[in-house]
């Protein structure tokens, strides 16, 4: 198998905004989608694929079309003739050509193979377009196996890793003896399998791609389950041991899917050494060292060799450490019981599991090493290592439905994920808790996360791209110098190997070998500073990018607000004299029954008090939750915990004997003992079944039974909008909307409860009943009001970011009302700034698509209350209700859009041309799913923002990974997907990261400019001295390169960030912009002028004798003697240039502290300035001989050279401080410059366009929509604008 190589190269943007999202969030019961391999022209099987294929090349084949990892695929077959020719040239170039092919593997593939169909291919070329601008390739060898070969290989892998019992060997012997043709099961999209005799496959990013002979396509092996009915995953006979895969079936599936391991390879040291040594930079260094040795620069060659070897050792050590750390983090195995059918149960290692295995979850719990769907029983799972949520989660059996299709995200409450820990299991009687395996290895949730770490997308680092271009410029300059030097020497009659080698030395001078080490030093120092502030980084390259951030997205709960909730009170509903009334809030729910009785008095009905609505609300708060006792401590969702504790009830989990009085149904019992003054007796309620919370359904429910009663109670708890829709209209108070709005506008989190009675049923029926059969015709009980307080520093941090012109956005899964209130409380939206709510009306179609409507938030309260003096509020209670909008016309000035996840989906699918408008003006995004959060981040990046994302890691992993700088406020395993992790759960890490990033970015600019100007200084010096027949001596090179440059560049990055408020403008991000380019050009001209002037003045002295006259025309490169007056004149002024240009490029305020606070850097400046002055004025004989200095006979002339050095220092500092930092930077911001070279960021164009546009159009006070012709004109205007952009 040939080396599997990746390459990243720049390419133009592949898609426009029109092809951006268009991926609808799937819901239970939605039509399943097949997104396997397909041709671009046949990609109409779902809306996403058909839309995205519009921008694909016709006739090109793809794998994973429409998915995040979509790739082109091309087939190749080896050509014997071209392989022979290629290796012939490799041999005659002594392997140099093969090394070039290693850098460009696609060239090697095209030189040794010819394109062919995938059916005949021996290798495939996979082309991945990353971030629509990078081209990443993967070259993979196709493996052909018969069924017997695949089974033999799979068995050998097992035997090589562990000691197996004789069953496995027996099965393999049976395969070998089989007379019929062996076959392997390959999965179909519908969850079924078809048998094949031979298998063709390749592996890419740890995932297997298998050839489908029917469709003549490669498709990615996927998990068992997604897109198939949930009933297909169920095994009704599993409890009797009659379900599961036999040993033979398991062996066959293992041959297809591979072993259930997440293997992170740790490369051998020799392999890492070879990969590092053949890096283009180190090859350049090796060539440079050989040239230096050939021209007798032994000391400098040895110094650079030591530095290079040290750098290689550090890199290899760090790489091995990272690989070991990741492997140790994800490695793990265990033993588990598997059902084999026919009543057989086998204990096997978890690495032998395959999709379709039915496993038994032990009662004492275990760590999951696969993804599995729970079939029977209940599991309490700790998912903190995967999601960051420390709260145990209750997992319940998957409903068995033919019309509901399994989706791991939507059915997360029924899915056990790899890497999570099952704390305990529960089931009635002695039944087993069982699950069916759906994913193994890298197909699991944990495997996907590890794969994203091992194969990260290429980062968009503009600074690095510009640095490569500038290094190319230096190399071109060196080539010109080389050609000039060679031509000049040949014309002068100078020949020989030394002349050639010295000319080659110009290239090594102009491209400084120490540049990468100097750049890396600054980043490492920035990483250490972040760690001291409890911000840990796994991607050091992202530190510079964080300095460019100008937009930050924040999650709400746990990020801007406190993680926990405080119960503010309960708002019960009571039926008094046959009228529904909303009672006054009760701040202590434990007093709810008595308080209600005291308020209503005799007006209350004389029925059984336990049938009164307030009492049912009380009981619902005590039972409708997913709390459990672990190690004697009550655990669960913070909201459930606060709500339950406020009732004063007790939760017990009785032993097996105690559950018999609840018909063996109730693993959890809640009890309440009322006060003697109350009309109630002691209550014991057993929770029969839980229907866990679903973010898609926005609710949870329980079925419970009170001891001694025949009827059961069904309680449902969730978002007010959802509970209202499930309740009988006559049970909902008339002033419900006003009531809810009054609390949500204050930022409270509001939960509603509803209830219905259910007839008692048998155990089997209760376990099989579907929640949809119960969640209708409910009686509305009231509201639970919780307070989610802002974190103490949230408002202050957001104000600091706003003052630094960093845009802030809230993206949350919470209610839009609450999100808007929190945005105002934390001053993300100013007091006098407007909020425009974006709604969609799916009942009113315009051009066959839902119509978007807009409303100013402060007008909603007038419509709800009818009061002209009502205060500013947020929006309609029902987020999908269309509201009339105020004054028709334009909205000049500052306003913010508030968008829900539902509206965002409509915008992506039907109004993709307006996405830039919405992301530029959108500040509040609520009810957003994890996928939608990621889509928003990508949309912001496409408009030109450098985006940061700050979240708690639970639902933000995708957005954290997609952002330029993701900051996870969690220690979970999910945080490894984020470049940065803060150990302190506070958003104060965001300005600190930006501050450190800006400091690191300015440092990188400074180091790069300094190393570039250092190369130019040395290039000018060498070229000038070459003209007079001499050069710098070995120790002069060593003193400059090893002592001055290395020490100053090493200390350069130790300057701390400026401690004040963030500056309102981020630093430059392009090395090719006027300030850095202008600085280098002007400084280079001054340097050249000073050196030439110093040489000219020296040549005018009476005592001056030209070097070539002393040596009788022999070049210094041939004599290896360089001491002369010309050398002293040029080297003397260059010392100050090397030293003080480091000071000129060591920028201070507003991004870094003053250089004097960097004691190492200041000491180095002082040390080398003093030593250089000593060398120039009166060195001792040893130093004169060592440095080969020819001292001028007149002491006064030595001070003339020092005078030139002082002039150089003054000029370089003044030019950098005034002409560059003030003049060129101010020029870039001037109107004339912006007219000639307008900024390229799309969001600036959008802002400018919106500032004079009538968009968004709103209705008038009476609810009349804006004129249709206005709407059409605005849409046409923006369509033209988008086309132009």
């Amino acid at each position: 198998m040939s080396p599997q190589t990746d390459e990243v190269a720049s390419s133009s943007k592949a898609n426009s905004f029109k092809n951006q999202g268009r991926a609808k969030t799937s819901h239970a019961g939605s039509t399943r989608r097949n997104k396997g391999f397909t041709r671009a022209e046949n990609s109409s099987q779902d809306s996403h694929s058909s839309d995205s294929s519009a921008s694909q090349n016709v006739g090109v084949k793809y794998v994973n079309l429409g998915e995040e990892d979509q790739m082109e695929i091309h087939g190749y077959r080896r050509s014997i003739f071209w392989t022979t020719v290629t290796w012939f040239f490799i041999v005659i170039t002594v392997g140099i050509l093969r090394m070039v092919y290693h850098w460009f593997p696609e060239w090697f593939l095209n030189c040794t193979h010819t394109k062919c169909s995938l059916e005949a291919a021996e290798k495939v070329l996979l082309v991945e377009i990353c971030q629509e601008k990078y081209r990443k390739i993967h070259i993979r060898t196709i493996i052909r196996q018969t069924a017997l070969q695949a089974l033999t290989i799979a068995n050998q892998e097992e035997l090589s890793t562990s000691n197996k019992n004789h069953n496995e060997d027996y099965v393999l012997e049976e395969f070998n003896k089989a007379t019929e043709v062996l076959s392997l099961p390959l999965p179909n999209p519908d969850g079924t399998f078809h048998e094949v005799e031979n298998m063709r496959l390749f592996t890419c990013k740890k995932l297997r791609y298998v050839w489908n002979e029917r469709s003549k396509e490669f498709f990615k092996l996927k998990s068992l389950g997604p897109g198939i009915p949930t009933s297909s995953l169920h095994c009704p006979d599993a409890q009797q041991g009659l379900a599961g895969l036999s040993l033979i079936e398991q062996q066959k599936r293992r041959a297809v899917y591979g072993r259930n391991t997440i293997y992170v390879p740790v490369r051998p040291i020799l392999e890492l050494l070879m990969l590092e040594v053949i890096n283009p930079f180190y090859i350049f260094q090796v060539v440079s060292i050989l040239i230096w040795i050939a021209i007798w620069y032994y000391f400098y060659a040895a110094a650079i060799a030591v530095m290079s070897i040290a750098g290689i050792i550090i890199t290899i050590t760090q790489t091995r450490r990272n690989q070991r750390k990741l492997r140790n983090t994800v490695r793990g195995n265990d033993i588990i019981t598997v059902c084999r059918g026919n009543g057989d149960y086998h204990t096997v290692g978890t690495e032998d599991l395959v999709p379709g295995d039915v496993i038994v979850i032990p009662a004492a719990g275990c760590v999951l090493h696969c993804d599995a769907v729970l079939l029977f029983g209940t599991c309490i799972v700790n998912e903190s290592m995967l999601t960051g949520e420390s709260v145990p989660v209750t997992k319940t059996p998957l409903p068995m439905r033919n019309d509901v299709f399994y989706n791991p995200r939507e059915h997360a409450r029924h899915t056990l994920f790899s890497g999570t820990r099952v704390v305990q299991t529960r089931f009635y009687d002695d039944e087993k808790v069982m699950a069916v395996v759906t994913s193994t290895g890298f197909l699991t949730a944990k495997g996907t996360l590890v794969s994203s770490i091992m194969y990260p997308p290429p980062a968009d680092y503009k600074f690095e791209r510009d640095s490569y271009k500038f290094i190319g410029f230096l190399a071109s300059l060196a080539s010109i110098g080389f050609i000039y030097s060679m031509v000049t020497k040949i014309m002068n009659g100078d020949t020989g190997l030394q002349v050639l080698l010295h000319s080659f030395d110009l290239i090594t001078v102009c491209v400084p070998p120490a540049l990468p080490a100097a750049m890396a030093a600054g980043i490492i120092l920035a990483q250490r500073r972040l760690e001291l502030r409890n911000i840990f980084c796994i991607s050091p390259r992202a530190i510079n990018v964080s300095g460019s951030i100008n937009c930050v997205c924040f999650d709400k709960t746990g990020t801007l607000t406190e993680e926990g909730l405080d119960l503010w009170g309960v708002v019960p509903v009571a039926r008094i004299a046959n009228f529904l009334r909303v009672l006054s809030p009760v701040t202590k729910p434990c007093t709810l029954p008595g308080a209600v009785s005291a308020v209503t008095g005799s007006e209350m009905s004389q029925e059984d008090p336990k049938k009164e609505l307030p009492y049912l609300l009380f009981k619902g708060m005590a039972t409708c939750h997913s709390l459990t006792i672990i190690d004697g401590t009550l655990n669960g969702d913070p909201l459930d915990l606060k709500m339950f504790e406020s009732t004063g009830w007790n939760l017990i989990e009785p032993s097996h004997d105690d559950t018999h009085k609840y018909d063996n149904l109730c693993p959890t019992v809640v009890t309440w003992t009322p006060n003697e003054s109350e009309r109630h007796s002691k209550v014991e309620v057993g929770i029969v079944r839980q229907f866990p919370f679903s973010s898609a359904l926005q609710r949870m429910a329980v079925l419970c039974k009170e001891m001694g009663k025949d009827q059961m109670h069904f309680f449902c708890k969730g978002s007010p909008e959802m509970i209202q829709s499930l309740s009988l209209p006559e049970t909902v108070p008339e002033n419900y909307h006003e009531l809810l709005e009054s609390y949500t506008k204050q930022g409270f989190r509001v939960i509603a409860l509803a209830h219905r009675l259910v007839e008692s049923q048998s155990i089997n029926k209760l376990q099989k009943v579907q929640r949809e059969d119960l969640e209708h015709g409910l009686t509305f009980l009231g509201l639970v009001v919780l307070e989610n307080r802002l974190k103490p520093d949230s408002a202050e941090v957001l104000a600091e970011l706003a003052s630094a012109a960093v845009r802030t956005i809230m993206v949350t899964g919470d209610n839009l009302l609450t999100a808007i209130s929190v945005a105002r409380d934390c001053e993300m939206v100013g007091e006098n700034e407007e909020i425009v709510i974006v709604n969609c009306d799916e009942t009113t179609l315009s051009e066959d698509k839902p119509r978007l409507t807009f409303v100013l938030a402060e007008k909603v309260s007038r419509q709800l209350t009818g009061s002209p003096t009502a205060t500013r509020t947020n929006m309609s209670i029902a987020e999908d209700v269309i509201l009339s909008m105020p004054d028709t016309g334009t909205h000049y000035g500052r306003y913010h859009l508030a968008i829900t996840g539902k509206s965002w989906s409509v915008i992506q699918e039907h109004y993709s041309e307006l996405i830039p408008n919405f992301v530029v003006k959108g500040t509040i995004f609520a009810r957003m799913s994890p996928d939608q959060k990621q889509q928003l981040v990508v949309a912001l990046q496409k408009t030109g923002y450098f985006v940061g994302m700050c979240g708690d890691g639970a639902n933000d992993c995708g957005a954290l990974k997609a952002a330029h700088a993701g900051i996870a406020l969690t220690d979970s395993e999910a945080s490894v997907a984020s470049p940065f992790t803060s150990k302190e759960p506070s958003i104060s890490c965001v300005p600190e990261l930006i501050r450190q990033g800006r400091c690191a970015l300015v440092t990188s600019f400074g180091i790069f400019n300094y190393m570039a100007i250092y190369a130019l200084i040395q290039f000018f010096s060498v070229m000038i001295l070459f003209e007079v027949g001499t050069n710098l001596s070995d120790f002069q090179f060593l003193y400059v390169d090893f002592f001055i440059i290395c020490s100053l560049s090493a200390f350069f990055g130790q300057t701390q960030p400026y401690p004040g408020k963030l500056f309102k403008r981020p630093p430059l991000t392009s090395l090719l912009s006027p300030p850095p380019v202008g600085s280098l050009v002007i400084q280079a001209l001054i340097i050249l002028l000073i050196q030439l002037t110093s040489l000219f003045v020296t040549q005018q002295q009476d005592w001056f004798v030209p070097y070539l006259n002393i040596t009788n025309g022999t070049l210094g490169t041939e004599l290896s003697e360089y001491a002369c007056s010309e050398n002293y004149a040029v080297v003397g002024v260059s010392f100050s240039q090397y030293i003080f240009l480091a000071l000129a490029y060591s920028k201070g305020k507003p991004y870094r502290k003053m250089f004097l606070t960097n004691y190492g850097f200041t000491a180095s400046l002082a040390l080398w300035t003093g030593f250089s002055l000593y060398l120039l004025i009166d060195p001792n004989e040893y130093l004169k001989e060592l440095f080969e200095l020819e001292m001028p006979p007149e002491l006064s002339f030595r001070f003339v050279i020092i005078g030139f050095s002082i002039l150089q220092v003054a000029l370089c500092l003044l030019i950098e401080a005034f002409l560059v930092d003030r003049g060129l930077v101010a020029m870039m911001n001037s109107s004339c410059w912006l007219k000639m070279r307008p900024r390229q960021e799309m969001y600036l164009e959008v802002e400018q366009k919106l500032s004079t546009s009538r968009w968004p159009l709103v209705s008038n006070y009476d609810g009349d929509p804006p004129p249709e012709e206005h709407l059409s004109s605005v849409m046409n205007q923006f369509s033209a604008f988008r086309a132009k952009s």
Side-chain angles (χ1 to χ4, degrees), residues 865-876:
T865 64
S867 170
T869 59
T871 58
R872 180 191 302 269
T873 62
N874 303 321
M875 67 164 288
S876 166

Side-chain angles (χ1 to χ4, degrees), residues 546 549-554 559-560 793-810 826-828 894 946 948-950 967 986-995 998 1060-1066:
S546 65
I549 288 176
N550 54 11
C551 176
V552 183
C553 298
F554 291 96
T559 304
L560 294 174
D793 57 353
S794 291
E796 181 182 352
V797 169
L798 294 178
E800 181 178 0
L801 293 175
S803 65
V806 176
R807 185 182 170 203
T808 55
I809 295 173
M810 182 190 301
C826 66
E827 299 180 6
M828 185 178 287
R894 185 165 175 80
F946 283 89
M949 173 69 196
C950 184
I967 313 165
S986 167
I987 65 169
S988 60
C989 62
V990 175
E992 184 60 38
L993 174 63
I994 295 176
R995 181 178 291 108
R998 289 181 173 185
K1061 293 289 185 180
L1062 290 174
F1063 191 55
K1064 63 181 179 181
R1065 186 177 63 249

